[in-house]
């Protein structure tokens, strides 16, 4: 799952775009070129030729530190870091180290900031796109609680629409054109516009059909915590891999009577196995209730559940 290309957008405030660009350029060993466009884009060309961007984002609540206080700031403090095309094994250390540098320089996030991850769409098929829709829909509630998506950001990353999911599974589209038609079914306006309203969902396919042919995941609160950024990237790549490799995926809601257990089973299934991903799992468990080791909460609860079932079945072991 780590062979697929992806791109990263991290929104933050606390320092100006100029300060962020200088920090990034110093770390990357690159040069800065200012585009002078609406987004006040600062392009940092790294020694390997790849371009990182620092840009303006109008959705951010700009702030800065004044002593120990956090106060409002002008829009020069609206910062979005846009990465070039990345590969996990080759680039994850660089991404994490850059996040740490920006944090040390004074960057921080607030409730208005998000992280968006773009996944290469070149290998996706009608089957895999439908799988992706079903996977996200089935885990809507678990994902939103695990990731603690802020109410202030829900308008920019809505849950998967039940009507859309039902239509996808009723029609069972065999072509990308059919999927595109269903995706835009309840929207008006020009599909070619970058800011089409269909894009504001956890799973954004507008970028796939009328953008850079990427599948975008928008459901991450922003952070400059290197470990959390890594956990989000691994989750996005694992979801992408699941969608690409499964023959089919159910849209039925998963059981969530024990949230941590449900998340552990799912993460194990999609590749979060072993010590390498221990910290990633912990970040994704952090806000869930229950017990990751036992479906019914503990060994004692398991025994109680079995005894109850035996009683209901006339005392026979089942």
């Amino acid at each position: 799952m780590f062979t697929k290309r992806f791109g990263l957008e991290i929104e933050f405030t606390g320092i100006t775009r100029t300060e962020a660009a200088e920090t990034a350029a110093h770390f990357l060993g690159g040069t800065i070129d200012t585009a002078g466009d609406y987004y006040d884009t600062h392009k940092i060309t790294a020694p390997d030729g790849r371009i990182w961007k620092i840009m303006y984002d109008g959705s951010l609540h700009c702030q800065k530190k004044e002593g120990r206080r956090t106060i409002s700031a002008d829009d020069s403090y609206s910062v979005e870091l846009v990465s070039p095309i990345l590969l996990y094994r080759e680039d994850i250390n660089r991404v994490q180290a850059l996040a740490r540098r920006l944090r040390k320089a004074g960057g921080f996030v607030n409730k208005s900031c998000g992280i968006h991850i773009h996944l290469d769409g070149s290998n996706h098929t009608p089957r895999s796109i439908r799988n992706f829709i079903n996977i996200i829909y089935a885990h809507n509630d678990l994902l939103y609680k695990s990731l603690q998506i802020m109410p202030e950001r829900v308008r920019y990353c809505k849950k998967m629409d039940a009507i859309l999911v039902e239509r996808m599974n009723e029609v069972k589209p065999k072509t990308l054109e059919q999927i595109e038609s269903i995706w835009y079914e309840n929207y008006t306006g020009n599909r070619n516009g970058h800011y089409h309203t269909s894009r504001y969902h956890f799973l954004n396919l507008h970028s796939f059909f009328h953008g850079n042919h990427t599948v975008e995941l928008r459901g991450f609160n922003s952070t400059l915590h290197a470990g959390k950024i890594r956990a989000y990237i691994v989750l996005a790549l694992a979801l992408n891999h699941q969608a690409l490799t499964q023959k089919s995926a159910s849209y039925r809601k998963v059981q969530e009577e024990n949230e941590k257990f449900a998340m552990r089973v799912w993460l194990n299934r999609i590749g979060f196995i072993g010590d390498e991903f221990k910290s990633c799992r912990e970040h994704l468990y952090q806000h869930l209730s229950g017990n990751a080791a036992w479906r019914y909460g503990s060994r004692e609860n398991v025994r109680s559940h079995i005894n109850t079932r035996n009683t209901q079945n006339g005392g026979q072991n089942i």
Side-chain angles (χ1 to χ4, degrees), residues 38-165:
Y38 171 79
Y39 297 102
D40 187 32
T41 305
H42 293 59
K43 296 181 179 180
I44 299 114
T45 304
D48 61 8
R50 292 188 296 178
I51 296 175
W52 300 69
K53 298 178 183 178
I54 297 290
M55 306 173 67
Y56 164 78
D57 188 306
S59 69
L60 304 188
H61 174 208
C62 300
Q63 294 179 307
K64 62 181 180 180
K65 297 287 187 182
E66 192 176 79
R68 295 186 178 181
R69 295 192 306 144
T70 301
I71 62 173
S72 294
D74 62 56
D75 66 10
S76 68
Y77 285 80
S78 170
V79 187
E80 180 177 34
L81 169 68
V82 181
S83 79
I85 294 172
L86 303 172
L87 286 169
Y88 180 81
R89 296 295 185 196
E90 291 82 348
D91 294 309
I92 189 61
N93 291 336
R94 181 179 293 105
V95 168
Q96 290 186 284
L98 177 55
R100 294 186 186 103
R101 294 293 181 92
L102 291 167
R103 185 177 181 179
K104 186 176 181 180
F108 61 86
V109 304
N110 56 36
K111 293 180 180 180
S112 70
C113 303
I115 286 179
H116 305 153
I117 300 174
H118 287 263
L119 302 158
D120 181 13
S122 61
N123 292 319
H124 275 287
T125 65
R127 174 190 57 78
S128 66
I129 291 295
R130 189 171 148 227
N131 280 350
F132 221 143
I133 290 169
N134 286 344
I135 290 165
I136 297 298
Y137 182 75
H139 297 86
N140 259 345
D141 297 336
L142 197 62
L143 284 168
Y144 274 65
K145 181 151 186 201
S146 170
L147 299 172
Q148 292 286 285
I149 297 174
M150 301 293 186
E152 293 84 355
R153 292 192 54 250
V154 168
R155 60 179 289 199
Y156 297 111
C157 56
K158 301 170 188 174
K159 291 184 177 182
M160 290 303 302
D161 188 340
I163 296 175
L164 179 141
V165 175

Side-chain angles (χ1 to χ4, degrees), residues 24-38:
H26 184 264
F27 169 73
L28 295 166
T31 58
I32 303 173
D33 176 49
T34 304
D37 58 2
Y38 171 79

Side-chain angles (χ1 to χ4, degrees), residues 197-209:
T197 50
S198 69
R199 75 197 292 263
Y200 298 115
H201 288 83
F202 189 108
L203 173 67
N204 169 28
L205 293 182
H206 179 63
S207 61
F208 180 77
F209 293 118

Side-chain angles (χ1 to χ4, degrees), residues 132-305:
F132 221 143
I133 290 169
N134 286 344
I135 290 165
I136 297 298
Y137 182 75
H139 297 86
N140 259 345
D141 297 336
L142 197 62
L143 284 168
Y144 274 65
K145 181 151 186 201
S146 170
L147 299 172
Q148 292 286 285
I149 297 174
M150 301 293 186
E152 293 84 355
R153 292 192 54 250
V154 168
R155 60 179 289 199
Y156 297 111
C157 56
K158 301 170 188 174
K159 291 184 177 182
M160 290 303 302
D161 188 340
I163 296 175
L164 179 141
V165 175
E166 288 171 5
R167 284 280 292 144
M168 286 287 180
N169 289 281
E170 175 189 358
V171 175
K172 295 180 173 58
K174 297 295 190 296
T175 67
L176 291 175
E177 289 75 16
Q178 289 176 304
I179 291 179
E180 179 179 357
S181 178
I182 296 171
W183 176 263
Y184 291 107
E185 212 165 65
N186 294 314
Y187 295 96
T188 58
N190 182 5
R191 297 181 185 180
N192 293 315
H194 178 71
Y195 294 107
H196 192 274
T197 50
S198 69
R199 75 197 292 263
Y200 298 115
H201 288 83
F202 189 108
L203 173 67
N204 169 28
L205 293 182
H206 179 63
S207 61
F208 180 77
F209 293 118
H210 293 280
N212 295 320
H213 202 56
T214 61
V215 175
E216 182 187 22
L217 295 179
R218 301 173 56 87
F220 305 102
N221 293 330
S222 194
T223 181
L224 291 175
H225 185 294
K228 290 182 180 179
I229 291 172
R230 175 171 172 259
Y232 298 159
I233 291 170
V234 173
L235 177 60
L237 291 172
L239 291 172
N240 191 54
H241 182 73
Q242 183 184 12
L244 284 166
T245 56
Q246 281 191 190
K247 289 184 178 180
S248 63
S250 173
Y251 66 96
R252 304 297 179 190
K253 295 286 187 179
V254 299
Q255 72 81 22
E256 294 174 11
E257 59 198 18
N258 180 341
E259 294 167 342
K260 283 187 177 179
F261 184 84
M263 179 63 86
R264 182 179 74 82
V265 170
W266 183 36
L267 292 182
N268 284 344
R269 181 183 175 191
I270 63 177
F272 281 70
I273 302 170
D275 289 342
E276 180 181 0
F277 302 116
K278 181 179 179 180
S279 64
C280 294
R281 294 193 300 269
E282 289 174 351
H283 286 305
L284 296 172
Y285 292 161
Q286 184 178 358
H287 300 288
L288 299 177
S289 61
N291 186 310
W294 301 94
R295 177 171 180 175
Y296 299 104
S298 67
R299 188 188 299 270
E300 290 70 25
N301 286 346
V302 171
R303 289 171 177 161
S304 174
H305 179 77

